[in-house]
């Protein structure tokens, strides 16, 4: 006989001498599994009841998928990169140019998009060694802006003002609604994969080394950490992950324009996914990504013309109203976990 | 070749002086408050569009509109300092993102109210026509702007070197804790510095407004220049800022007139900054103090 007992903080199920506890108190929940299940179910629900929202789901997943490696990069280099969208540009343009010129599909452009992102990250990786905190912030901030300028200079190639069109689509079943559902799942898979990789990395011994660099580079060097190597690996690997999102954008929309991803407005959105999500905590990036994508969608639907300045205004208020971000509200209950504080060094 | 060289030198001096005017305020904030004012772009945008707003919406003349704009700029600067910078001085990522966001809000608001089709134009021309200096043909207004830039920088340097307030600000830029110990009112001087940086920005923007393009995103271009100059010169050092302004000026001139590709101006400046940073990670100046 199954015996179910309801307590204040948990439900206990007993059966033939065995006992299962289902903890109700939020701090003991296995949140990762519950939320993953929710994220997997939501696209199906939207597919049948609110298909227009699938696009927002995809945006949310992609915002989170950019912010998660950016959090890793921040941790591993001990510096906040203010130009992650540069790598979106590299990945996206590589995929777009190859697809337009040679009619290559997403599977063929994928390795080259990663390769070129890695090469460009390696070229700029000395920045993590030579440029100190604030210098690094400014130099990385300039990278996407200069890239944007290049897309306008070589407008014949990059179509800087209107973007490259005619890129082969990521999924083409002939049914638009189904396409969106499949892309929503692919973006979700990508985001969850990044979450898994980054979370495992941060919790590994390598993550501890990265945290040491983030806390104090000199001390980390003093205890025998090859800080330059760790910083370059963190920078390049995270850049490659961000470049994949550029590839995704190109094949998802079938068009790619630098003016969409390289200006400050897109960059600020990504930074806010991190800060409003929860100060670069990887799980916070997911909360931040969904929050910002849905907020933007609601404001576009309701405010019309005034949305472009009301949206940043709300984010501006939230930046200061939620100093520890959305994930910080949850973290208050799990204060025992060690999570390194991210900061811009002077 | 001799003629091209003359053109390069003339434009180096003019562009360098104007870049100095653009970057001086940014550099002073870096030197004194030890933060990067990533919202610096909105100062340029507001200078033009607030003046225009007073002229169009209230029907005021140019001078009263400029005075109104200055008053509002001071007020906004005070709130930016008291509301963001002062409260989050130890959390730089919040300051940087917050200031950047504020700049975007201003840009979008201006774009909503006065999009590029609105044809905003400020007739702040003091000298009309152009002047031939050897083979170079220069707008007299730009020539005037560069002269004022040099004069203003000289006055700023004099202020920092010869006055008691300047001395106190330099002390803060060197060591904030020691400054407090000797009785300097750091908070008041921070606010004063926020006001001080408005001077070169407002003067510079009004002088170049009739010659250079005006649109709601104009601030980003000036911010890019200010960032490049500031990094190259060394954080917040005025000597370094002066040297870096002219170095970037000469780079832009060479790219435009010798290589013949003016489109690569910013790219060339960025490459120059990176090369110099590899050799001197702290920039061209010897120290990060103001002078």
């Amino acid at each position: 006989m199954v015996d179910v007992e309801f307590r204040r903080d948990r439900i206990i199920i007993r059966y033939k001498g065995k006992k299962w506890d289902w903890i109700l108190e939020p701090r003991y929940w296995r949140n990762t599994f519950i939320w993953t299940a929710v994220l997997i179910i939501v696209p199906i629900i939207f597919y049948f009841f609110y298909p227009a929202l699938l696009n927002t789901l995809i945006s949310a997943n992609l915002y989170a998928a950019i912010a998660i490696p950016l959090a890793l990069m921040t941790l591993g280099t001990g510096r906040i990169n203010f130009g992650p969208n540069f790598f979106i540009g590299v990945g996206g343009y590589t995929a777009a140019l190859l697809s337009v010129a040679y009619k290559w599909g997403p599977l063929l452009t994928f390795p080259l998009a990663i390769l070129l992102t890695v090469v460009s990250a390696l070229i700029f990786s000395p920045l993590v060694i030579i440029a100190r905190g604030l210098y690094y912030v400014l130099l990385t901030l300039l990278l996407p802006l200069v890239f944007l300028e290049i897309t306008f200079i070589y407008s014949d190639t990059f179509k800087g003002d209107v973007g490259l069109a005619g890129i082969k689509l990521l999924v083409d079943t002939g049914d638009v609604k189904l396409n969106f559902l499949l892309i929503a799942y692919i973006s979700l898979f990508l985001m969850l994969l990044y979450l898994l990789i980054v979370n495992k990395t941060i919790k590994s011994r390598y993550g501890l080394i990265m945290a040491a660099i983030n806390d104090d580079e000199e001390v980390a060097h003093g205890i025998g950490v090859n800080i330059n190597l760790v910083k370059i690996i963190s920078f390049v690997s995270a850049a490659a992950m961000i470049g994949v999102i550029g590839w995704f954008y190109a094949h998802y929309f079938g068009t790619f324009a630098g003016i969409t991803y390289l200006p400050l407005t897109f960059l600020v959105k990504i930074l806010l996914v991190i800060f409003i999500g929860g100060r670069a905590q990887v799980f916070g990036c997911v909360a931040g990504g969904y929050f910002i994508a849905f907020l933007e969608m609601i404001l576009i639907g309701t405010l019309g013309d005034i949305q472009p300045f009301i949206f940043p205004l709300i984010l501006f208020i939230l930046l200061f109203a939620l100093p520890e971000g959305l994930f910080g509200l949850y973290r208050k209950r799990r204060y025992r976990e060690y999570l390194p504080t991210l900061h811009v060094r002077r | 070749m001799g003629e091209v060289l003359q053109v390069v030198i003339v434009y180096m001096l003019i562009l360098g002086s104007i870049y100095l005017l653009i970057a001086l305020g940014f550099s002073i904030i870096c030197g004194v408050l030890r933060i990067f004012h990533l919202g610096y772009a909105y100062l340029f945008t507001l200078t033009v569009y607030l003046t225009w707003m007073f002229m169009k919406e209230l029907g005021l003349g140019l001078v009263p509109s400029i005075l109104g704009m200055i008053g509002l700029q001071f007020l906004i600067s005070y709130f930016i300092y008291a509301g963001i910078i002062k409260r989050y001085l130890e959390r730089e990522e919040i300051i940087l993102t917050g200031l950047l966001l504020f700049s975007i809000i201003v840009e979008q608001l201006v774009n909503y109210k006065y999009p590029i089709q609105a044809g905003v134009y400020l007739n702040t021309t003091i000298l009309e026509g152009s002047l031939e200096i050897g083979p170079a043909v220069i707008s007299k207004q730009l020539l005037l702007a560069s002269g004022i830039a040099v004069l203003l920088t000289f006055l700023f340097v004099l202020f920092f070197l010869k006055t008691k307030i300047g001395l106190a600000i330099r002390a803060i830029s060197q060591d904030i804790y020691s400054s407090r110990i000797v009785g300097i009112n750091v908070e008041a001087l921070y606010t004063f510095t926020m006001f001080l940086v408005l001077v070169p920005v407002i003067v510079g923007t009004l002088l170049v407004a009739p010659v250079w393009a005006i649109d709601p995103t104009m601030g980003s271009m000036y911010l890019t220049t200010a960032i490049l100059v500031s990094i190259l010169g060394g954080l917040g050092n005025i000597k370094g800022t002066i040297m870096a302004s002219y170095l970037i000026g000469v780079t832009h001139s060479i790219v435009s007139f010798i290589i013949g590709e003016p489109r690569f101006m910013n790219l060339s400046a960025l490459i120059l900054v990176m090369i110099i940073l590899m050799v001197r990670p702290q920039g061209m100046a010897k120290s990060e103090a103001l002078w």
Side-chain angles (χ1 to χ4, degrees), chain A residues 254-282:
Chain A
T255 61
F256 192 84
I259 192 76
T260 313
Y261 306 104
L262 297 172
L264 293 177
T265 38
F266 189 81
L267 158 76
V268 168
K269 227 185 275 180
I270 299 306
L271 289 177
L272 287 164
V273 168
I274 288 192
F275 292 132
I276 291 181
R279 300 263 292 154
Q281 305 310 324
V282 283

Side-chain angles (χ1 to χ4, degrees), chain A residues 80 82 124 127 130-132 134-135 137-139 141-143 145-146 149-150 153-154 264-265 267-268 271-272 275 279 305-306 308-309 312-313 315-316 319-320 323-324 342-344 346, chain B residues 26 33-36 38 84 88-94 96-98 100-102 104-105 108-109 112 220 224 227-228 231 234-235 263-264 266-267 270 273-274 277-278 281-283 288:
Chain A
I80 296 185
F82 267 60
F124 290 107
L127 283 179
I130 58 169
R132 290 171 298 159
L134 283 169
Y135 285 99
V137 165
L138 290 194
L139 284 171
L141 184 77
L142 289 177
L143 285 180
L145 297 180
V146 173
E149 208 169 292
I150 291 172
I153 293 171
Y154 291 105
L264 293 177
T265 38
L267 158 76
V268 168
L271 289 177
L272 287 164
F275 292 132
R279 300 263 292 154
D305 286 353
I306 56 170
F309 67 87
L313 186 66
L315 295 179
F316 182 76
L319 179 70
F320 298 105
E324 291 300 322
L342 298 167
H343 50 266
V344 175
R346 293 180 187 217
Chain B
F26 189 78
L33 274 77
R34 292 278 146 212
I35 59 151
F36 277 125
L38 288 189
I84 302 177
Y88 295 94
L89 206 53
E90 295 305 317
R91 293 183 61 181
E92 234 150 334
E93 64 283 355
I94 297 286
L96 295 174
T97 315
L100 208 53
L101 252 180
F102 185 76
I104 289 171
I105 294 167
Q108 294 295 340
L109 192 60
Y112 171 71
S220 304
T224 309
I227 289 175
L228 285 170
I231 300 176
L235 280 181
R263 300 176 300 176
F264 290 112
N266 272 344
L267 187 65
L270 181 71
V273 169
M274 285 185 173
L277 275 190
M278 280 181 203
Q282 76 279 24
E288 286 187 351

Side-chain angles (χ1 to χ4, degrees), chain B residues 90-286:
Chain B
E90 295 305 317
R91 293 183 61 181
E92 234 150 334
E93 64 283 355
I94 297 286
I95 291 187
L96 295 174
T97 315
L99 290 173
L100 208 53
L101 252 180
F102 185 76
S103 189
I104 289 171
I105 294 167
V106 169
E107 189 182 295
Q108 294 295 340
L109 192 60
V110 166
N111 193 38
Y112 171 71
K113 186 77 183 152
Y114 303 112
I116 196 158
Q117 300 89 333
V120 173
Y121 174 74
L122 287 188
N123 189 13
T124 46
T125 310
I126 298 173
L127 293 176
E128 285 186 2
S130 52
L131 194 73
E132 283 186 28
I133 306 174
V137 182
I138 308 286
S139 150
K140 283 182 185 171
Q141 180 76 6
L142 279 186
L143 210 58
L144 177 75
S146 56
I148 290 177
V150 174
L151 180 70
L152 203 62
T153 310
F154 178 69
L155 291 176
F156 264 78
V157 172
L158 271 187
F159 170 76
F160 285 122
L161 293 183
K162 301 290 178 190
T163 64
K164 273 196 169 181
I165 297 176
L167 184 70
I169 292 176
R170 279 193 291 139
I172 291 174
S173 83
Q174 283 179 5
D175 195 324
I176 189 167
Y177 299 105
S178 309
S179 310
R180 282 207 168 101
I181 289 169
V182 296
I184 294 172
N185 188 344
V186 174
E187 301 290 325
L189 284 182
Y190 273 174
T191 316
F192 178 73
T193 308
M194 288 294 288
F195 293 156
L196 198 65
V197 299
L198 289 175
V199 178
V201 171
I202 291 173
V203 171
T205 313
L206 289 176
L207 283 172
V208 299
V211 189
W212 286 1
I214 290 177
D215 67 73
T217 60
M218 60 187 277
S220 304
M221 188 185 73
Y222 294 123
L223 176 68
T224 309
T225 306
I227 289 175
L228 285 170
V229 169
S230 200
I231 300 176
L232 189 61
L235 280 181
N237 187 293
I238 295 183
K239 276 182 205 164
T241 305
I242 296 169
M243 287 189 282
S245 300
Y246 288 101
L247 195 58
I248 289 185
V250 77
T251 311
H252 283 183
S253 298
I254 290 170
V255 169
S256 302
F257 298 106
I258 294 182
I259 300 172
E261 283 286 356
R263 300 176 300 176
F264 290 112
M265 279 173 31
N266 272 344
L267 187 65
S268 59
L270 181 71
I271 292 168
L272 174 78
V273 169
M274 285 185 173
I275 291 169
I276 289 189
L277 275 190
M278 280 181 203
V279 186
R280 287 184 64 85
Q282 76 279 24
M284 291 167 75
K286 282 182 182 167

Side-chain angles (χ1 to χ4, degrees), chain A residues 280-297:
Chain A
Q281 305 310 324
V282 283
F283 293 102
C285 293
V286 182
Y290 273 77
F291 179 80
I292 286 180
F294 276 87
L295 179 70
E296 190 178 21
M297 182 271 299

